[in-house]
Each structure stands twice: as C-alpha cells, then as structure tokens.
Amino acid sequence: MRMYDIIKKKRDGGELTTDEINYFIGGVTDGSIPDYQISALCMAIYFRGMTPRETCDLTFAVRDSGERVDFSSINGIRVDKHSTGGVGDKTSLVVAPIVASFGIKVAKMSGRGLGHTGGTVDKLEAIEGFRTTLSDAEFIAQVNKIGLAIVGQSKQFAPADKKLYALRDVTATVDSMPLIAASIMGKKLAADDDCIVLDVKTGSGSFMKTVEESRELARLMVDIGKNAGKKMVALITNMDRPLGNAIGNSLEVIEAVETLHGCGPADLTEVCITLAGYMLSLSGKGTPEECETLAKQAISDGSALNKLIETVKAQGGGSKLIQNTDNFAKAEYSRPVISAVEGYIERVDTEAYGLASLALGAGRNKVEDKIDYSAGIILNKKTGDYVHKGDKLAVLYSNNPSTFAAAEEKLLAATKISGTEPKNEPLIYDVIK
Ligand code: URA
C-alpha cells in the first residue's frame, strides 16, 4: 500500500477501505508516514468528507492506536459524560456526584483546560491536596467503594490523535466533521464505559458555531458510539454565553458546590439536571423525565453533595473547602468592570470571555504554564439583562493586578450592549439519540 495512492483516492472523492484507513493511522502512530502526507490526507478529507463507515473506521483506528483501560473489575454499570468544551462549564463537578449517589459507577478521566476552555482536572486541583493521579488499582478500588473517582488522563490514550491534532492545528483542518468526530470518540472509546452522554456545545464559546453543525457532529458521534456497543445520547447545549456566572477554577468549584446545595445559577442547574437525567436514564434508572426528578432529589436531600465530599476526601483533597467554600483562598486583587453605556446585553463573544479569564491567570497558553487557581471572573450581568450606565457587569479576580487592563478591555469588547432586547435562546437545543 502507498500513502500517495490513498491521498489521490480521497482527493478525487473516493471512499477509503478499512485497510487503507488502518494503514494511514498505523503510519501516523509509528512515525513512518511523513507530516506532509498526513497533512495532505487531512486536507483531502476536509474537502471531500468521509462516509459514516469511513469515519467509524477512522475512529476505531485512532482508539486502537494506544492503550485502552480495562474497567471490567468495576462492579455495576459505568457511565460517563463528555463535553466538547466551553466557558464556565463545571457540569462534571455537579453531575458526576449526582449520578454516583444512585450507585451508578462514574470512573471519570478528564482533561485540562487549554486555550479559552477550562478543564475539570484544573478545577479539581484548585482543591488543596486533591490528587488527580491515582494508580489503576486505586482508581478502580475507589470507584467500586464509593462509585466515583475523577483523574487526569495518565495513559497514552489514542496517540495517533495527538499527532493528527497537532498537524490539523497548523494546516487549517481542525474544523472537519469526520476528523473532529474521530478525534473525540477515538479518545472517549479508549475508556471502558457502558453509557456515554455527550454535551455538544454550540455557539460563540464552542468550536461548532451553529446548531446545525453541532447536530451533525452529535449524530455522527452518537452513531459511532452505538457501533462500538455503547448506549449513547448527545445534548446540544448553548455556549453562546458562559454557563453559570463563574469562570476560573476555584470560582467554578464554589459555584458547583452552590449548585449541589440547590442554590446555583438557573442555567447551570438546568443543564446539570438534564445531563444527569440522561446519564441515569441510560443506566436503567427510568425515563429521562423520571431521572430528572431523581437528580433533583439528590440535590435537595444532600446526597449528591455528600458524594462530592466523600470523593474529595478519598482523593486527599481538603473536604473542609467543600463543606464551607469560604475557606477557599481568595485572589489578592479584584476589579469591577463597569458599563459606560445603557441597554440590553444583546450578545457576548463567549470565547473572548474565556480568553479574558485566561489573561487573568486562570488558564494556560502553553501546557507548561502555571495556573492561578483563584483567578477568574464573576459575571453580574448576562445576555438579555438590561444594564444602566455605571452598573457592574462583572468582577475580575487575580493575584497579578497588571493583568486587569487587558482582561477588562477584552470583556468589554466582547459584550455587545444595544437597544435591542435579544431573543431568549434555549439552553438545550436538541437531544440526539
Ligand atoms: N476536541 C478534540 O478532542 N478533537 C477535535 O478535533 C476537536 C475538539
């Protein structure tokens, strides 16, 4: 087989065979195919697309390019949730304990934030002492004992994706539906869950900017998961505005705890209840509606919050921080962002909000950058709110006050205030089964 022939076939609109796709991913993984040929095939896929069968083959080849986790010694049904990435998205910290409080196993391997999006592992590391690295034996024992463990991805999952993503990033081929689906699902399927709920974000804070694109991606990923024998559902959720009011690691943990106390922001609570409802429903606990009621109960009777406290304790974290979030270290400096104009917040550029938080120190530009866990933004006004001149739009937090000017400028530029009251967009656009 020759890489030249595979590129030419796809360039001319042909359908690649399973063997050709396996040959390609094999060569990406062992380094035998040069970067220029990998990039050329990505570009051909970008323009010509792939059939569902090709996309599925590509996903399975990516999944099989590295280690897989064996969860067979976990007793009971295993369910996971995966978000395509957003701003202020702390849903995992809320839904995982809700679901685990019903005896369903959540063996969660999460990512770190990069660029404008946050990551669950960084948020958890804002809890002093919390260990995001456990041995396989510790991880599995904890899931068997209390139903929930959350760690960073320590294994060499899907190494072909790492290489492909790095090349796509510099060859303008990231936004190709089959390449995105194979990248996300290739990594997801390397873990050994029975059920997966996907949270496909749509809008200005997500890499899928329209609901139609998000729907298409969700359909593709749900079908791939089902082909791999998983129970699947995808929700299409609104990322045209940050989720909740807090952006930044410890600020988001605090908001997640407030949500588990039943007093979180309405938008975050709604998305969490819906996600948890589908996770419980896929796990056999009833219809999605019945399971939403269960999820609400787990919040009102305190069992979900207790499960989070138990998990934090088990992983060495300061559970007193969760019991009383006033104990979280505060940023040394804060600065209010004041509106100079009057009108409705017509829309916001959510990605720019994420970048403003990153500028304050809450995220990293490079993998090796250090995070300021207490840095971030609390939003006082969101899309649809009416603001008067002099109203506080947000408060910025950082241990480095020299970051405030750039963050404030970004936030103001990203907030369109006008006389037009925006249409009330749904939080959950669709459910793809
Ligand atoms: N997230 C991924 O993991 N891969 C993509 O291609 C896009 C988003």
Side-chain angles (χ1 to χ4, degrees), residues 149 159 170 174 185 235 260-261 271 275 352-353 378:
V170 292
V174 168
M185 290 305 288
L235 305 188
L260 287 171
H261 273 293
V271 172
L275 284 168
Y353 273 44
I378 295 288

Side-chain angles (χ1 to χ4, degrees), residues 361-376:
R364 47 173 91 73
N365 286 303
K366 301 187 293 303
V367 219
E368 61 276 14
D369 285 351
K370 279 229 165 333
I371 284 189
D372 175 354
Y373 289 107
S374 54

Side-chain angles (χ1 to χ4, degrees), residues 178-327:
L179 293 178
I180 294 172
S183 167
I184 293 177
M185 290 305 288
K187 287 181 292 233
K188 209 69 232 164
L189 295 177
D192 191 12
D193 291 295
D194 302 305
C195 322
I196 304 171
V197 175
L198 297 170
D199 181 3
V200 179
K201 303 284 184 196
T202 192
S204 62
S206 134
F207 61 94
M208 290 284 121
K209 303 295 180 206
T210 69
V211 179
E212 290 67 37
E213 285 174 327
S214 303
R215 228 181 239 126
E216 197 183 324
L217 178 64
R219 176 82 273 151
L220 204 50
M221 295 197 292
V222 164
D223 289 346
I224 291 169
K226 284 184 178 169
N227 242 305
K230 312 289 177 193
K231 290 188 180 171
M232 299 287 306
V233 167
L235 305 188
I236 314 288
T237 67
N238 191 329
M239 198 28 78
D240 252 330
R241 61 195 72 177
L243 191 57
N245 303 325
I247 310 171
N249 299 288
S250 57
L251 297 175
E252 292 194 39
V253 176
I254 294 168
E255 192 170 74
V257 172
E258 284 163 0
T259 306
L260 287 171
H261 273 293
C263 48
D267 59 349
L268 176 63
T269 303
E270 183 182 333
V271 172
C272 288
I273 294 293
T274 311
L275 284 168
Y278 276 101
M279 288 170 81
L280 288 167
S281 179
L282 283 189
S283 310
K285 289 284 181 191
T287 64
E289 294 72 27
E290 287 163 351
C291 290
E292 282 192 14
T293 307
L294 292 179
K296 286 178 192 160
Q297 267 165 22
I299 291 182
S300 57
D301 67 15
S303 50
L305 181 62
N306 286 339
K307 187 56 72 182
L308 180 65
I309 293 171
E310 204 181 350
T311 307
V312 169
K313 264 189 200 155
Q315 291 188 229
S319 54
K320 286 202 171 61
L321 292 174
I322 307 298
Q323 277 151 335
N324 180 1
T325 52
D326 287 343
N327 291 325

Side-chain angles (χ1 to χ4, degrees), residues 93-106 130 142-150 260 298 301-315 319 322:
L93 301 178
V94 181
V95 300
I98 292 178
V99 172
S101 74
F102 289 96
I104 305 295
K105 301 295 167 31
V106 186
F130 192 99
Q142 183 176 319
V143 176
N144 272 330
K145 187 161 175 225
I146 66 173
L148 171 60
I150 312 179
L260 287 171
D301 67 15
S303 50
L305 181 62
N306 286 339
K307 187 56 72 182
L308 180 65
I309 293 171
E310 204 181 350
T311 307
V312 169
K313 264 189 200 155
Q315 291 188 229
S319 54
I322 307 298

Side-chain angles (χ1 to χ4, degrees), residues 2-151:
R2 289 194 322 154
M3 196 52 201
Y4 175 91
D5 300 318
I6 295 175
I7 296 169
K8 185 165 180 294
K9 186 173 180 186
K10 184 45 77 184
R11 183 201 69 186
D12 296 339
E15 182 173 348
L16 303 181
T17 64
T18 306
D19 284 347
E20 285 166 336
I21 289 170
N22 287 340
Y23 174 84
F24 167 56
I25 292 300
V28 170
T29 311
D30 67 18
S32 60
I33 300 176
D35 289 0
Y36 48 84
Q37 286 189 312
I38 299 173
S39 306
L41 185 60
C42 287
M43 190 56 86
I45 293 171
Y46 178 90
F47 280 113
R48 290 296 189 170
M50 281 186 137
T51 63
R53 200 270 310 149
E54 284 177 295
T55 309
C56 207
D57 282 347
L58 183 65
T59 308
F60 292 172
V62 168
R63 173 196 67 188
D64 297 339
S65 67
E67 290 181 70
R68 308 242 330 242
V69 221
D70 178 7
F71 285 164
S72 56
S73 54
I74 294 178
N75 312 314
I77 295 180
R78 306 173 299 266
V79 63
D80 196 9
K81 182 224 78 156
H82 177 80
S83 155
T84 58
V87 177
D89 181 3
K90 66 283 286 172
T91 52
S92 288
L93 301 178
V94 181
V95 300
I98 292 178
V99 172
S101 74
F102 289 96
I104 305 295
K105 301 295 167 31
V106 186
K108 192 138 191 54
M109 282 176 281
S110 295
R112 293 187 184 279
L114 194 63
H116 75 282
T117 64
T120 302
V121 169
D122 294 331
K123 295 175 215 233
L124 286 169
E125 287 179 354
I127 305 168
E128 209 187 328
F130 192 99
R131 291 197 300 143
T132 53
T133 308
L134 300 177
S135 69
D136 286 1
E138 281 177 306
F139 181 63
I140 286 173
Q142 183 176 319
V143 176
N144 272 330
K145 187 161 175 225
I146 66 173
L148 171 60
I150 312 179
V151 293

